[in-house]
Amino acid sequence: MTRTIAEIVANDMCIGCGLCEALTGGRVKMAMTGRGSLRPSPVDGFTPAEEAQLVAACPGAVAEARIEAGCKSDPVWGAYRSMARAWAVHPDVRYEGATGGVLTALGMHALRTGRVDFVLHVGADPDRPMRSRWVLSDTPESVQANTASRYGPTAPLAGLSAALDRGRPFALIAKPCDLGAVHALSRTDPRVDELCTVRLVLVCGGQSRLTKSTAVLDEFGLDETEVALFRYRGHGNPGATVVETRAGERFTKTYLDMWADESGWDVETRCKFCPDALGEAADVASADIWPGGAPTGEDEGFNGIIVRTEVGEELVASAVKAGELVVADEITARQFDDFQPHQVRKKEALAARYQGLADAGVAPIETRGLRISELGRRLDGERYEQQRAGAKRRADHL
């Protein structure tokens, strides 16, 4: 089925990754909508060649695993070389980062060892700290300064053109959908595989719209113009959500108060149909590992890592040897199921949800190597029809 970016946006399957801005040289910008989502503007501002290249890589249209020979494979978690518990050795990196600081530590190590010249990732916008912007970090200190999760809309790929134009090897730390788009783009732009030499990803529970964050300000009686700091988590594991004002006031919400009610996450529609929240196009994926899927309190910080490629394996081993990362006990795929049960449920439901989209005349995401049909057969008839009908209702009300 031929698609356009305008159709993908109209069907709310856009995730706002920023690729549209990068491939048009900034002519099409990522803009915040009234619903709190980043979307390309204008949606019809592409040449035919640009649109063809974009649709072939757009996370709202395609998703593909990047599978190397010699890997183990699991129906849910995909191709991998190893799974283990890990954390950053440096206490500040571990404390400030999300969970155990693994992605920050790996990004810093890649710079220190000269594997890459810089890191493309996201950090808080200094002018609007509740929002995020893409960053090119040339030093380990800059990577650490932009550490920890940035919930809400992020468009790291808006910086991809600037990164590629430098003509030097770089690391990318982003969401699974972003990494999938980069992998797909490599088919039409040879610079991607030549220059984007380290790809690190967080296992993702979904991207919240900005409205989730503005609701926090409303709860505290604040306006966004008053905000000097908006930290979503970190400074402990999982760490509190912290808002500080320019007048010196400080407000906090615990992680569970912020995220316990999944119905209030206000995630993007595309996230409910995401075929790869597990980072199957990355070198290393890093996840929360709370038994049952939720923290019961604060701890020192531990990540579960899924090493998927030889590059990832070499990077992790090098960081361990340099004393920057600890890799401890092995984690099995079934343990990961317990740590991330919502990911398993969604993977099993996707075949039914995609059929519901098709029933409503909406093209589902084309998947390659992600085992969606195989996992869909785990659903009994009643659950399949429930998921199918729910997806159709959602699509009908777009």
Side-chain angles (χ1 to χ4, degrees), residues 7 19 63 72 102 114 116 119 124 132 141 153 157 174 234 242 266 277 281 319 355 361-362 371 379:
E7 289 169 345
L19 191 62
K72 305 169 190 175
V102 163
V116 300
V119 178
S132 303
E141 292 75 21
L157 300 191
V242 177
D266 200 12
Q355 184 58 57
V362 174
R371 309 163 307 284
L379 265 63

Side-chain angles (χ1 to χ4, degrees), residues 103-173:
L103 297 182
T104 301
L106 289 175
M108 295 170 72
H109 179 72
L111 275 170
R112 286 195 182 103
T113 56
R115 289 170 179 263
V116 300
D117 284 0
F118 61 96
V119 178
L120 169 59
H121 58 146
V122 297
D125 186 330
D127 297 323
R128 296 180 295 180
M130 189 172 72
R131 308 187 188 209
S132 303
R133 63 171 186 174
W134 60 268
V135 180
L136 298 180
S137 287
D138 297 295
T139 65
E141 292 75 21
S142 178
V143 174
Q144 186 175 349
N146 291 283
T147 192
S149 296
R150 296 298 302 172
Y151 292 92
T154 63
L157 300 191
L160 184 60
S161 180
L164 292 170
D165 286 348
R166 285 189 173 191
R168 305 190 332 250
F170 66 95
L172 172 61
I173 306 176

Side-chain angles (χ1 to χ4, degrees), residues 121-247:
H121 58 146
V122 297
D125 186 330
D127 297 323
R128 296 180 295 180
M130 189 172 72
R131 308 187 188 209
S132 303
R133 63 171 186 174
W134 60 268
V135 180
L136 298 180
S137 287
D138 297 295
T139 65
E141 292 75 21
S142 178
V143 174
Q144 186 175 349
N146 291 283
T147 192
S149 296
R150 296 298 302 172
Y151 292 92
T154 63
L157 300 191
L160 184 60
S161 180
L164 292 170
D165 286 348
R166 285 189 173 191
R168 305 190 332 250
F170 66 95
L172 172 61
I173 306 176
K175 306 184 298 300
C177 51
D178 306 321
L179 266 291
V182 168
H183 175 46
L185 182 66
S186 68
R187 285 196 170 89
T188 59
D189 189 338
R191 297 179 302 164
V192 172
D193 285 343
E194 177 189 351
L195 300 174
C196 186
T197 56
V198 173
R199 304 176 194 185
L200 307 175
V201 74
L202 56 110
V203 170
C204 183
Q207 176 175 276
S208 296
R209 295 184 174 93
L210 192 67
T211 47
K212 173 66 177 175
S213 304
T214 55
V216 174
L217 297 188
D218 291 343
E219 181 180 338
F220 296 142
L222 298 173
D223 184 81
E224 187 179 357
T225 58
E226 301 177 73
V227 175
L229 177 144
F230 199 115
R231 187 170 64 239
Y232 288 88
R233 62 181 291 192
H235 286 233
N237 179 42
T241 297
V242 177
V243 182
E244 294 179 358
T245 68
R246 302 184 191 281

